[in-house]
Amino acid sequence: LIVKALMKREHLSRHPLDDEISGRAMKIFTEGFDARKLYFLQSDIDEFMQHRDEIDDFIDKADSSFAYKVFDRFITRLDQRVETVEQLVKQPFDFDNDESIVTDAKLLTYPKTDEEAKARWRKLIKYNLLTFKSDKIEDQEAREKILRRYKSLQRRWHQSDSDELLERYLSAVTTSYDPHTTYMSPSTLENFRILMRL
């Protein structure tokens, strides 16, 4: 409620927190978890988008349950994808087979099924292995590095706390007004003040 009041009173645009801002915030919030469209399924996004015009209403009620719903679903998908990576790094790859991969997220859609998601991850792991191969890194070492990378990412996300999630959620709202307006959690603000004092 304080964020809503401050944005209405202090932001240059004087734009109300309404359905338009909610729609923008939804896009920013979901893409903040999965900008490369590797984790969520299209059905997840469709489910979230049913609430695209309600974020302003949730904030009016001081209700952050939607943020937790999106985050919990992301963690579920993340765990599934890391499990896929664990399987893929044990499999052989045919590097003579001519395949392509789209790396520009703007040209991608979210996978519709788990099978489509796994196919995308198979190409990604193959691409990563080829990159390591071009750097003269041995195959087994490359596979271990890839698995460590995603395990580390998984561990970091699992360590996220309520303050960090609320900061992401409210920053998605404030950034919907303009890209330079953000929300800082108390811990982030304190760290920012320490940095400024230095």
Side-chain angles (χ1 to χ4, degrees):
L1 292 176
I2 293 171
V3 170
K4 179 181 179 180
L6 281 171
M7 294 303 292
K8 186 176 181 181
R9 190 177 73 240
E10 303 293 341
H11 196 268
L12 289 172
S13 69
R14 297 291 190 269
H15 194 293
L17 177 52
D18 56 11
D19 290 354
E20 180 187 346
I21 295 295
S22 289
R24 289 185 210 159
M26 176 70 78
K27 187 172 188 297
I28 292 167
F29 186 58
T30 54
E31 287 182 356
F33 291 108
D34 190 13
R36 295 170 63 202
K37 298 177 179 144
L38 287 168
Y39 298 96
F40 287 130
L41 295 176
Q42 184 62 54
S43 57
D44 298 324
I45 299 301
D46 292 343
E47 183 182 337
F48 301 152
M49 286 301 170
Q50 292 175 13
H51 305 285
R52 63 172 290 124
D53 297 332
E54 298 175 42
I55 289 180
D56 55 329
D57 303 318
F58 295 150
I59 289 176
D60 267 344
K61 299 171 189 169
D63 179 2
S64 58
S65 59
F66 179 73
Y68 283 93
K69 178 180 181 178
V70 174
F71 178 70
D72 289 345
R73 184 70 53 81
F74 171 71
I75 290 295
T76 297
R77 298 302 183 205
L78 171 65
D79 291 345
Q80 291 170 345
R81 304 303 171 240
V82 172
E83 187 177 323
T84 297
V85 172
E86 288 177 319
Q87 294 165 2
L88 288 170
V89 295
K90 296 173 185 173
Q91 295 177 7
F93 286 87
D94 181 3
F95 295 112
D96 295 322
N97 188 18
D98 190 15
E99 289 186 294
S100 62
I101 183 171
V102 178
T103 56
D104 185 350
K106 292 176 185 172
L107 303 177
L108 288 169
T109 56
Y110 290 96
K112 292 180 175 59
T113 63
D114 284 323
E115 290 70 28
E116 190 180 330
K118 285 177 183 176
R120 187 174 293 179
W121 275 91
R122 186 192 63 77
K123 285 187 176 183
L124 178 62
I125 298 304
K126 183 177 180 180
Y127 175 76
N128 288 338
L129 285 170
L130 276 171
T131 303
F132 280 122
K133 193 179 179 78
S134 69
D135 291 336
K136 305 286 190 283
I137 293 173
E138 291 295 326
D139 183 69
Q140 187 56 38
E141 183 185 353
R143 290 168 186 265
E144 289 169 3
K145 280 177 178 284
I146 289 168
L147 184 56
R148 277 200 306 271
R149 176 192 304 165
Y150 290 108
K151 283 283 194 181
S152 175
L153 178 71
Q154 182 184 34
R155 190 166 50 253
R156 286 199 307 273
W157 275 110
H158 272 276
Q159 290 169 349
S160 298
D161 61 23
S162 299
D163 276 357
E164 290 168 323
L165 179 58
L166 188 62
E167 183 171 325
R168 279 182 168 274
Y169 186 51
L170 293 177
S171 284
V173 173
T174 57
T175 306
S176 298
Y177 287 81
D178 77 85
H180 307 292
T181 304
T182 190
Y183 168 84
M184 290 183 184
S185 68
S187 58
T188 300
L189 179 59
E190 181 56 28
N191 289 335
F192 176 76
R193 284 174 172 158
I194 290 168
L195 186 64
M196 290 297 99
R197 284 199 296 270
L198 295 174

